[in-house]
Amino acid sequence: MAKSKAAAAAPAQHGYEFFGPPGAFGISFGLPILVYVFTFACNDLSGCPAPSLLSPKTLSLDRLKVEVGWPKEGIFGLASWEATAAVLAYYLANLILYRVLPAAEVDGTVLASGGRLKYRFNTLYSNTFTLAALAAGTFAKGAEFPVWTFIDQHYVQILTANIGISYAISTFVYVRSFSVKAGNKQNRELAAGGHSGNLLYDWFIGRELNPRVTIPLIGEVDIKEWCELRPGMMGWIILNCAWCARQYRNFGSVTDSIVCITVVQALYIFDSWWNEPAILTTMDITTDGFGMMLAFGDLVWVPFVYSMQTRYLSVHPRSLGPLGLVATLSLIGLGFYIFRSANSQKNTFRTNPNDPAVAHLKYIQTKTGSKLLTTGWWGVARHINYLGDWIQSWPYSLPTGLAGYQILTAGTGAEGAYVMRDGREVTPGSAKGWGMLFTYFYIVYFAVLLIHRDRRDDEKCHRKYGADWEKYKKEVRWRIVPGIY
């Protein structure tokens, strides 16, 4: 009896992922630095990239600091009490809306212990309320709405505050995970791969599977699920809107390219809110613990890296024109169709296999009782939904074209330059093409992410299904891209 209880509290250990402790260290402390590099190297003061970066022979640290807008206070200028307070107020507002607005109560998937957690879903309501408030403020104040100007003026400090929060939450859930007891009535469990015994790695990957906390006046909050869809995803939209407002302040208008990216990314995010219960079957919820990896990804990486294209266009506007706009939207539509229809087909088959839409599909019956589809979308590739997701990433970057710009002083008279309201001129110049390192980074990163996620899922399914999984792979050969990968 004691052994069975201990097993429930501490699932079988997995091998290291992400290259173990060295990889955990590199991601946890290297990626925040990378986000700062993106922020300073592609800026609204000197260019994207900063001019000195294109002339390494004449590069000097003092000159580079001026070009990138390095704070006069040095490293201490990367943070401010004002920005930190604003970010904490934003998180608090999210928590209040989570508690006061109507919500649907949904049961989670069955845990290793046999129990199920209940989830409170109202992200669509709470974030729509937030957007409505921001829209009202913009209607009243225009591009000078204080929220937009505050973000523009304190962007680096807001970034720092979110990085600090991700570190704080990661540390809190790691320390608290040691209070997980065998057979607890709260259905608390350790993540299968999160209790290696190495402090750094477990802090990064996450020891506890679904950490929850009870906050006075707010009630119980599932920290992982809350972070997945609320402050970061909402922040992604907010930053995009802030950069649209900045483009208007800079040039007196907004271009179709920045509006297109903002709208299609907002629709992508709204889709995740609309289908919020679908998150309960994702690897993030069912398999991964909650640690630095997910906290940083949700609260920092998603909003600040995924909005780089609109941030770029706020300084270097580009017009798509009717044909470019149609092509962009068509590519978005194709990717979304593959992504959503594939996921819907899988969900329908799981919940109602007798539905006429999926009843004809063939499958492999596994010894675990699960069924693996071998026809329909899931007979084309084992993760055909990832292909749709990746296709959607291209239209986020393509509107930036051969990205790269230099910012020149007023009256330079550069040919084809965009003139800001303050007289400065924005022109591609010698930076043309180099800005793609920033604006097209998302496509490359997302491909690596999906390939890595596919490999992790393959290992998980092999452990779960054994020989049945190998049989399935022989019938469905391709991983993500049919005929290629």
Side-chain angles (χ1 to χ4, degrees):
M1 186 70 174
K3 284 187 177 181
S4 62
K5 286 186 177 182
Q13 292 189 24
H14 290 205
Y16 282 137
E17 297 184 270
F18 301 96
F19 304 103
F25 178 86
I27 294 173
S28 299
F29 302 102
L31 288 190
I33 294 174
L34 181 61
V35 180
Y36 281 121
V37 170
F38 286 153
T39 300
F40 286 111
C42 184
N43 62 75
D44 64 334
L45 296 175
S46 60
C48 180
S52 290
L53 296 176
L54 299 175
S55 304
K57 291 183 179 180
T58 59
L59 178 65
S60 71
L61 184 58
D62 290 338
R63 181 183 174 188
L64 184 61
K65 284 182 176 180
V66 173
E67 290 179 352
V68 304
W70 185 254
K72 295 179 181 178
E73 305 87 350
I75 194 171
F76 296 104
L78 297 177
S80 74
W81 291 111
E82 186 179 12
T84 302
V87 171
L88 290 174
Y90 167 69
Y91 278 71
L92 178 60
N94 267 280
L95 286 168
I96 293 173
L97 292 175
Y98 166 78
R99 175 48 50 193
V100 302
L101 293 180
E105 297 284 344
V106 178
D107 288 331
T109 57
V110 179
L111 300 169
S113 62
R116 297 180 107 178
L117 293 169
K118 285 192 176 293
Y119 290 83
R120 178 180 173 83
F121 287 152
N122 65 359
T123 299
L124 181 64
Y125 295 146
S126 62
N127 286 347
T128 300
F129 179 91
T130 302
L131 287 174
L134 293 172
T138 305
F139 180 79
K141 297 291 186 179
E144 299 295 336
F145 180 43
V147 171
W148 309 139
T149 55
F150 185 87
I151 291 173
D152 194 2
Q153 295 164 6
H154 300 85
Y155 178 71
V156 173
Q157 291 77 25
I158 292 172
L159 167 62
T160 302
N162 280 278
I163 292 174
I165 290 172
S166 69
Y167 280 133
I169 292 178
S170 304
T171 303
F172 170 76
V173 296
Y174 174 78
V175 173
R176 190 170 178 270
S177 71
F178 288 94
S179 65
V180 175
K181 304 296 182 184
N184 65 84
K185 295 181 180 180
Q186 295 79 32
N187 288 319
R188 295 179 65 191
E189 293 185 359
L190 298 182
H195 53 102
S196 69
N198 182 279
L199 187 154
L200 174 62
Y201 179 81
D202 292 345
W203 171 78
F204 162 76
I205 206 74
R207 285 191 90 245
E208 189 170 353
L209 184 62
N210 297 296
R212 295 185 165 204
V213 63
T214 300
I215 303 174
L217 304 180
I218 300 295
E220 186 178 64
V221 178
D222 187 288
I223 299 175
K224 179 163 64 172
E225 194 280 328
W226 188 82
C227 287
E228 283 272 319
L229 293 179
R230 290 175 182 270
M233 295 288 267
M234 183 70 236
W236 183 3
I237 294 182
I238 290 175
L239 287 176
N240 279 343
C241 291
W243 303 139
C244 287
R246 180 208 260 179
Q247 188 185 83
Y248 188 87
R249 290 196 303 274
N250 282 339
F251 303 100
S253 62
V254 290
T255 57
D256 54 7
S257 59
I258 196 171
V259 171
C260 178
I261 294 175
T262 299
V263 170
V264 297
Q265 289 185 344
L267 290 175
Y268 176 84
I269 296 166
F270 260 88
D271 177 69
S272 70
W273 298 342
W274 182 270
N275 296 284
E276 188 172 11
I279 194 176
L280 296 181
T281 59
T282 62
M283 184 183 295
D284 286 357
I285 299 296
T286 63
T287 305
D288 293 333
F290 188 76
M292 179 58 184
M293 178 181 73
L294 287 180
F296 178 81
D298 293 340
L299 307 179
V300 181
W301 193 258
V302 167
F304 291 92
V305 173
Y306 291 12
S307 62
M308 276 201 298
Q309 293 87 2
T310 52
R311 182 169 174 262
Y312 171 91
L313 291 169
S314 71
V315 181
H316 187 216
R318 295 186 76 254
S319 178
L320 293 172
L323 290 179
L325 194 59
V326 169
T328 299
L329 294 176
S330 297
L331 199 56
I332 280 284
L334 173 64
F336 182 77
Y337 170 72
I338 295 174
F339 173 78
R340 179 49 57 204
S341 58
N343 282 338
S344 296
Q345 185 181 80
K346 179 176 67 174
N347 188 59
T348 301
F349 184 78
R350 282 180 173 176
T351 56
N352 184 16
N354 295 320
D355 189 304
V358 297
H360 64 286
L361 297 177
K362 297 180 180 180
Y363 57 86
I364 292 175
Q365 179 72 56
T366 69
K367 294 180 180 64
T368 65
S370 300
K371 298 174 181 178
L372 301 175
L373 286 169
T374 56
T375 59
W377 278 114
W378 301 92
V380 178
R382 302 199 290 269
H383 277 114
I384 190 66
N385 57 330
Y386 287 0
L387 175 62
D389 220 4
W390 188 59
I391 289 174
Q392 289 182 84
S393 70
W394 281 85
Y396 298 169
S397 299
L398 289 174
T400 64
L402 291 175
Y405 60 78
Q406 292 178 309
I407 299 179
L408 308 177
T409 57
T412 306
E415 184 177 353
Y418 293 95
V419 181
M420 294 185 181
R421 283 181 166 178
D422 61 8
R424 291 182 299 160
E425 299 178 9
V426 182
T427 182
S430 60
K432 187 174 183 178
W434 288 103
M436 295 173 70
L437 294 171
F438 305 96
T439 64
Y440 285 77
F441 171 81
Y442 178 74
I443 295 176
V444 178
Y445 154 75
F446 204 45
V448 173
L449 173 71
L450 294 176
I451 290 172
H452 180 259
R453 184 170 291 178
D454 165 76
R455 298 292 174 127
R456 293 182 69 207
D457 189 61
D458 183 73
E459 292 178 7
K460 182 191 77 171
C461 290
H462 178 74
R463 291 193 298 267
K464 181 177 181 180
Y465 302 118
D468 288 328
W469 183 248
E470 298 307 312
K471 179 181 177 182
Y472 167 71
K473 289 201 293 184
K474 290 179 180 179
E475 292 201 34
V476 184
R477 293 176 54 205
W478 305 107
R479 291 174 176 267
I480 299 176
V481 185
I484 298 176
Y485 175 75

